Amino acid sequence: MKRLKLKLHTQIVIALFLGAIFGAIFHIDKNLVEITHVENGIEKKVEIKNWSTFSFVANETKTYSSKDQLLIIQKFKLASQDERKKLHLNVDGKIFENVKSIDKVKTIALYIKPIGDIFIRLLTMIAIPLVLASLIVGAASLGDIKRLARVGGKTISIYLVTTALAVSIGLILANLIQPGIRMPQSTKEELLATYQTDVAKKIESEVDIDVVSQIVNLVPKNPIRAMAESEMLQIVFFALFVGIALTFVRKEKSQPVINFFDGLSDTMIKLVDLIMKIAPYGVFALISATVGEFGFEILQTLIWYSLTVLLGLFIHTVFIYSGMIKLFSKMKVKTFFRGMRRAQTIAFSTSSSAATLPVNMECCEENLGISKNITSFTLPLGATINMDGTALYQGVATVFIAQVYGMDLGIIEQLMVVLTAVLASIGTAPVPGVGIIMLIIVLKAVHVPEEGIALILGVDRILDMCRTVTNITGDATVSTIIAQSEGELRKPDLSEA
Ligand code: ASP
């Protein structure tokens, strides 16, 4: 009997849907916590469900109902060692002392997450050597410094313009829809209390807002260390410099070096084919863990904010990129989006432009027909500095938080948001959840309280998945346009898409 062979893209999409359904069925129970405590010298784990009163110390007036799972867990995390010793949990009259931890109870949807983690790690493992090798070859194969300056100048300028456009779309929508004004005061207080510890950790992660030191930091003291620490901007800087230098070295010496890096980059791309064999399983595990943990409920709480971000991403991805492809290339818009499907689903499930880079390069070269000369230069650069989705979301988030705090951002402040969001998105590492840390820079620039990120933290993971799709689609759009303008665009071939 002939076996039905579905295309990889179809398999991934099916995995995505099934994963979401699986996660929704086996989601974390919000009325359940696991208390680990020591009784008579023995550590015990007790699961508690549907409590009606939960208090932390004897005679405490504030009690928590079973709706307050996250608040209870946060409150325990916030307690100092001393305070923990004095804890005297009272759950519906049952007392727990010597409490070690209070946690959510994992379900099967979360236990399978390691499969997804392995998938992301495999793709990320390729990303650093791929960025290094392909950028060196990309810069060197543009031939001479003049061409490099021309292509580099065009690429970076379009990246910057599209990012500024993305923030502006975000700002316009947030001003029109006013998601912050639609949020009830009670929801605001609840979200601020629930996410306060996570925010404290993020604010501590110290983002450098000094532009001069950011520029100084572009130059790695030690390129090996830059690679070891995944400092993408430093790797890009080093690779471009090596590529440029190679164009000045005598051919018999430069060619073996170029061949080596070319071979390395091809090997990494080949690895992608192997890794993609487990893509459906990886995607299934990632989506089911995300839906199982975060659910869709938080989307309801932040419905206006989420809709504003999603609408902005949709407009930018579908209309702006289509318009650009139509205006500046001979490729059909439909062909472009069909050729990009696989990379987009991987971006959605991994939330990482770096992990998606190898797949994006493959889609652009094999499906869209962009020459390797162009993809190897534009895509690693784009994955590192071009984040339209992230910038758009930062624009919406800033106005949203300001509105919730009753602040009115004037035109000058909004222009400041455009400028800082463009810079912040360049500095955003292409991995999950960094956009929200870089948002702190934008908030600081316009004096919006940074603690406000507590309001949006709950939906961040889901929106991160969506903005990463925009980020990588933007890189491919610019790559297509540059390839067209340089005469490096072959006929697309969608047979493998
Ligand atoms: N996850 C995003 C990316 O990798 C970055 C972010 O916005 O957090 O493109």
Side-chain angles (χ1 to χ4, degrees), residues 355-417:
T356 313
L357 176 65
V359 188
N360 203 5
M361 288 181 83
E362 204 181 41
C363 287
C364 285
E365 282 166 34
E366 288 174 11
N367 304 344
L368 304 184
I370 304 175
S371 85
K372 200 173 163 211
N373 279 350
I374 299 296
T375 56
S376 58
F377 177 76
T378 50
L379 292 181
L381 191 65
T384 318
I385 67 164
N386 183 48
M387 304 220 178
D388 295 357
T390 302
L392 188 148
Y393 135 87
Q394 286 170 340
V396 176
T398 308
V399 176
F400 171 74
I401 297 174
Q403 284 170 353
V404 175
Y405 279 94
M407 293 169 71
D408 208 5
L409 295 182
I411 189 81
I412 302 286
E413 279 141 329
Q414 306 224 11
L415 286 175
M416 193 67 190
V417 173

Side-chain angles (χ1 to χ4, degrees), residues 73-289:
I73 294 175
Q74 293 296 348
K75 181 156 175 166
F76 183 79
K77 275 195 205 154
L78 272 178
S80 65
Q81 285 304 335
D82 261 2
E83 283 168 328
R84 284 186 190 187
K85 274 193 204 125
K86 286 188 224 133
L87 276 188
H88 183 82
L89 287 190
N90 181 341
V91 187
D92 292 341
K94 201 166 182 287
I95 307 294
F96 297 93
E97 281 171 323
N98 284 323
V99 178
K100 294 277 173 251
S101 65
I102 306 180
D103 302 293
K104 299 177 192 167
V105 178
K106 281 189 178 179
T107 65
I108 173 92
L110 277 101
Y111 280 118
I112 57 172
K113 187 162 179 266
I115 304 172
D117 290 339
I118 291 179
F119 176 60
I120 296 201
R121 289 178 82 112
L122 283 168
L123 286 173
T124 317
M125 166 183 93
I126 305 181
I128 304 272
L130 181 64
V131 169
L132 180 81
S134 63
L135 261 183
I136 290 179
V137 180
S141 61
L142 286 177
D144 58 281
I145 187 87
K146 262 209 204 129
R147 182 158 186 231
L148 182 66
R150 189 182 68 234
V151 175
K154 268 197 289 194
T155 311
I156 295 176
S157 315
I158 308 181
Y159 278 155
L160 291 179
V161 171
T162 50
T163 310
L165 192 65
V167 197
S168 312
I169 292 178
L171 288 177
I172 292 172
L173 289 178
N175 282 297
L176 286 178
I177 300 175
Q178 306 209 316
I181 297 195
R182 294 167 192 269
M183 174 176 260
Q185 178 70 17
S186 56
T187 316
K188 169 186 166 182
E189 281 160 13
E190 208 178 297
L191 287 168
L192 286 177
T194 308
Y195 292 101
Q196 124 200 24
T197 18
D198 294 335
V199 169
K201 261 191 245 140
K202 296 222 183 284
I203 294 180
E204 259 170 40
S205 55
E206 266 309 307
V207 275
D208 197 350
I209 52 168
D210 179 3
V211 177
V212 178
S213 72
Q214 292 274 20
I215 294 174
V216 172
N217 274 331
L218 278 181
V219 187
K221 274 203 254 174
N222 175 346
I224 308 288
R225 178 144 104 209
M227 277 181 257
E229 289 174 1
S230 305
E231 288 289 350
M232 296 298 265
L233 285 174
Q234 295 190 350
I235 301 171
V236 167
F237 183 89
F238 175 72
L240 286 179
F241 255 61
V242 173
I244 293 171
L246 279 168
T247 62
F248 293 113
V249 174
R250 273 210 325 271
K251 191 140 183 145
E252 66 267 29
K253 296 220 166 163
S254 64
Q255 204 53 51
V257 180
I258 296 176
N259 287 347
F260 168 76
F261 282 113
D262 201 16
L264 182 63
S265 137
D266 277 0
T267 316
M268 293 301 125
I269 298 272
K270 253 282 117 358
L271 268 178
V272 180
D273 288 339
L274 293 179
I275 296 168
M276 289 314 279
K277 295 211 185 317
I278 66 156
Y281 308 102
V283 166
F284 179 90
L286 287 171
I287 299 295
S288 76

